[in-house]
């Protein structure tokens, strides 16, 4: 029962993370093509921004801190899953399974894409920026959840 639950959480969170990327593309497409959607995004931007603290607005600070927390959580999962860092090589020992390496690569690329999108879209003043960074935060949370449950499932299966 626990195995099915962990596998279900892994699959569901992976699907939600992919659907968040599809939603990001849909929002960008309709913001570029439909003027009503662009006006709505400008309205949401002014509503969600909040006070400016330093170079970023309050909403942006919240999302950036959420992305940093998720990145640190992802790195701690990776360190626990793949063992301690060896002093000779400098890299953690990777699992021999292709699926764990693929999930690790997807997680790292997803987090790097999120940081790049956060700062590039901020400098380009994209209209859908406020909603899209929330979708990216959701996507990163689902990637970390998917990765964590996958690793927990494999550790639990080794013990039982």
């Amino acid at each position: 029962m626990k195995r099915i639950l962990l596998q279900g959480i892994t699959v569901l969170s992976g699907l939600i993370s992919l659907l968040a990327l599809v939603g990001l593309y849909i929002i960008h497409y309709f913001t570029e093509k439909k003027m009503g959607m662009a006006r709505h995004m400008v309205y949401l931007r002014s509503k969600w921004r909040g006070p400016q603290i330093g170079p970023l607005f309050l909403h942006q600070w919240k999302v950036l801190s959420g992305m940093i927390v998720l990145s640190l959580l992802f790195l701690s999962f990776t360190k626990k899953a793949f063992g301690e860092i060896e002093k000779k090589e400098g890299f953690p020992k990777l699992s021999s399974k292709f699926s764990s390496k693929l999930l690790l690569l997807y997680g790292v690329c997803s987090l790097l894409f999120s940081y790049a999108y956060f700062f590039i879209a901020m400098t380009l003043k994209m209209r859908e920026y406020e909603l899209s960074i929330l979708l990216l935060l959701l996507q990163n949370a689902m990637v970390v959840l998917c990765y964590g449950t996958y690793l927990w499932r494999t550790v639990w299966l080794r013990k039982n």
Side-chain angles (χ1 to χ4, degrees):
M1 182 67 181
K2 193 173 186 179
R3 178 182 179 184
I4 295 171
L5 179 67
L6 289 174
Q7 189 170 3
I9 291 173
T10 304
V11 170
L12 186 65
S13 57
L15 286 175
I16 290 174
S17 72
L18 291 175
L19 289 175
L21 289 176
V22 171
L24 183 68
Y25 174 74
I26 290 171
I27 288 172
H28 179 72
Y29 174 79
F30 281 115
T31 306
E32 293 292 322
K33 299 294 181 190
K34 303 291 182 185
M35 191 61 188
M37 183 74 167
R39 287 185 186 135
H40 186 65
M41 288 296 125
V42 170
Y43 167 73
L44 285 179
R45 178 189 292 168
S46 64
K47 186 176 178 182
W48 287 350
R49 274 236 166 126
Q52 186 168 359
I53 303 170
L56 302 174
F57 289 97
L58 182 62
H59 175 70
Q60 294 167 335
W61 280 113
K62 289 177 187 176
V63 170
L64 185 61
S65 62
M67 285 173 35
I68 290 171
V69 166
L70 288 172
S71 298
L72 292 175
L73 191 62
F74 186 82
L75 290 175
S76 70
F77 283 161
T78 304
K79 185 176 179 183
K80 284 183 181 180
F82 296 128
E84 294 294 323
I85 297 174
E86 290 184 356
K87 294 181 180 178
K88 295 178 183 176
E89 297 175 8
F91 292 105
K93 298 177 188 174
L94 293 176
S95 175
S96 61
K97 284 190 167 184
F98 177 71
S99 57
S100 63
K101 290 180 184 178
L102 187 65
L103 194 57
L104 175 66
L105 180 66
Y106 175 63
V108 168
C109 289
S110 170
L111 290 169
L112 290 177
F113 172 75
S114 297
Y115 283 114
Y117 188 88
F118 181 84
F119 291 110
I120 290 171
M122 184 176 65
T123 57
L124 294 178
K125 308 268 191 243
M126 294 175 68
R127 289 177 279 203
E128 74 276 2
Y129 175 68
E130 309 297 331
L131 186 61
S132 61
I133 59 175
L134 287 178
L135 268 176
L136 279 175
L137 190 62
L138 170 73
Q139 192 257 346
N140 285 336
M142 290 298 119
V143 165
V144 170
L145 179 66
C146 177
Y147 187 63
T149 54
Y150 176 78
L151 294 175
W152 190 27
R153 182 177 61 95
T154 52
V155 167
W156 182 76
L157 287 176
R158 281 185 209 153
K159 288 181 182 177
N160 294 333

